[in-house]
Amino acid sequence: MLVGFNFGVVAVAIAGVGLAGASLLRQMGREQALARVQRSGDRALDLIAVQGERLGATAELLAARPDLRRFVRDGSSDSLSMLLREFRAARGLDGVLVLARGRTLGAAGALVLPGEADLPEGNQRWFLHAAPGSPGVQWTAAAEIHGAGGARVLIGRFLLEEALADLGRWVGLPVTVLTRQTAESRGTEPSIELRLRALGGEEVRSLLAASGQAVGATPLRDARGRIIGLLEVSDEISGSDPGRSRLLGALLALVLAMGGVATLFSLLLARSVARPVEELTAAALRIGHGDFASPLPRGGGREVAALAGA
């Protein structure tokens, strides 16, 4: 009983501390996952802006070409289209077009044409755009062709698989970009409530117990400030707590080690208490059988010694 009691006390004490530590570590892992999602989302937005600036510089480079200006002024649509196709292929763009007073003079690729109301005002070189029915959100850059009657060059690239894979590698977590229409149509996914809050203009970070993920959603806006889609970053909660299993293993080893020490000391203590009582019991039995010369043990502590003397 003494051994079992001591071992149980040690095990319960260590297990209590261990469970509290594991719970604290799990909570810290969740908080760290949310913090990583926050940082990665902010970094993804910064990288989108960097790529947009590069796209703007590419549009200005195209707009400054003399042959492009000449084709636009002369109305050489065939030559203009050939030039745009070559430029699109060389730069890896999804679409290139030349726009003048709402009319397309030449185009190459699958650029979703923004309306005049969707084009930026002032000196903004690039913007995000997602027209109804568009396959995804696209970077779009615009540059004026000087000396061509207000004509503008528009170039674009969609934020789809390849671009998102690049973003994911740069930020270290999976990145998803959804148009507003796509985000609203996926009503059965665990993150739908989070997405709807983000579509309302709120940056959201949340833990999804159903999917075991920390997810962050940030609204994406077009040139006029309208929300056209969402940027999502996710992180596995289980993967964000690598030390938890090691902690539990260490606690189990500590329980066994401390339980072994408690068992050893309990055995020694029980033996020091029980042996004098056993010797006194044996002597009492001998006396009971008439052996009045039997010696009586006097060790075993004050209480046993007092009993032996009595």
Side-chain angles (χ1 to χ4, degrees):
M1 289 177 63
L2 184 60
V3 170
F5 177 77
N6 285 344
F7 184 88
V9 168
V10 171
V12 168
I14 296 179
V17 174
L19 291 176
S23 177
L24 180 60
L25 186 61
R26 183 167 55 251
Q27 180 62 29
M28 290 175 60
R30 292 175 176 175
E31 293 175 356
Q32 289 172 359
L34 287 174
R36 275 193 295 273
V37 163
Q38 173 76 47
R39 290 195 302 270
S40 298
D42 293 341
R43 179 162 174 74
L45 290 176
D46 292 340
L47 290 170
I48 288 175
V50 169
Q51 292 299 315
E53 289 295 330
R54 291 177 180 173
L55 202 65
T58 303
E60 291 178 352
L61 180 66
L62 176 60
R65 291 183 56 160
D67 50 353
L68 176 73
R69 188 181 305 117
R70 184 175 68 254
F71 294 153
V72 171
R73 283 201 304 258
D74 297 343
S76 304
S77 58
D78 293 339
S79 299
L80 179 61
S81 296
M82 182 178 296
L83 172 63
L84 297 180
R85 285 195 297 269
E86 292 175 354
F87 188 85
R88 171 181 172 271
R91 297 288 177 168
L93 302 170
D94 289 319
V96 184
L97 61 85
V98 175
L99 190 68
R101 298 182 182 89
R103 185 170 62 92
T104 302
L105 303 181
L111 183 66
V112 178
L113 177 64
E116 289 291 339
D118 298 324
L119 294 176
E121 297 176 344
N123 297 324
Q124 185 176 349
R125 297 202 300 177
W126 71 277
F127 57 98
L128 296 175
H129 177 65
S134 171
V137 176
Q138 69 182 26
W139 281 294
T140 306
E144 184 177 353
I145 306 173
H146 297 290
R152 284 195 282 188
V153 166
L154 273 74
I155 65 175
R157 185 185 177 198
F158 285 106
L159 275 159
L160 295 177
E161 288 81 2
E162 183 180 353
L164 293 178
D166 290 339
L167 279 178
R169 284 192 294 270
W170 290 333
V171 304
L173 291 177
V175 178
T176 304
V177 172
L178 303 172
T179 64
R180 187 182 190 101
Q181 182 179 3
T182 303
E184 291 174 340
S185 64
R186 297 182 179 180
T188 59
E189 295 186 5
S191 57
I192 183 61
E193 182 179 352
L194 178 143
R195 289 173 177 169
L196 292 177
R197 288 169 57 193
L199 288 175
E202 178 184 358
E203 290 190 15
V204 185
R205 307 288 181 267
S206 180
L207 298 170
L208 302 180
S211 60
Q213 290 183 321
V215 179
T218 303
L220 298 176
R221 301 178 184 272
D222 63 7
R224 301 302 176 95
R226 296 167 298 193
I227 297 176
I228 58 169
L230 299 177
L231 170 75
E232 281 189 3
V233 180
S234 61
D235 188 16
E236 296 290 338
I237 297 176
S238 57
S240 65
D241 194 7
R244 188 175 157 202
S245 58
R246 292 197 299 270
L247 174 63
L248 294 178
L251 289 173
L252 179 60
L254 183 61
V255 167
L256 294 177
M258 295 302 295
V261 173
T263 299
L264 177 61
F265 278 99
S266 297
L267 286 172
L268 295 176
L269 179 61
R271 187 174 181 181
S272 66
V273 173
R275 175 173 288 182
V277 175
E278 291 174 349
E279 292 176 352
L280 183 59
T281 301
L285 289 174
R286 290 194 298 272
I287 293 173
H289 287 90
D291 184 6
F292 298 105
S294 176
L296 297 176
R298 295 301 179 98
R302 184 175 59 188
E303 293 82 2
V304 176
L307 178 61

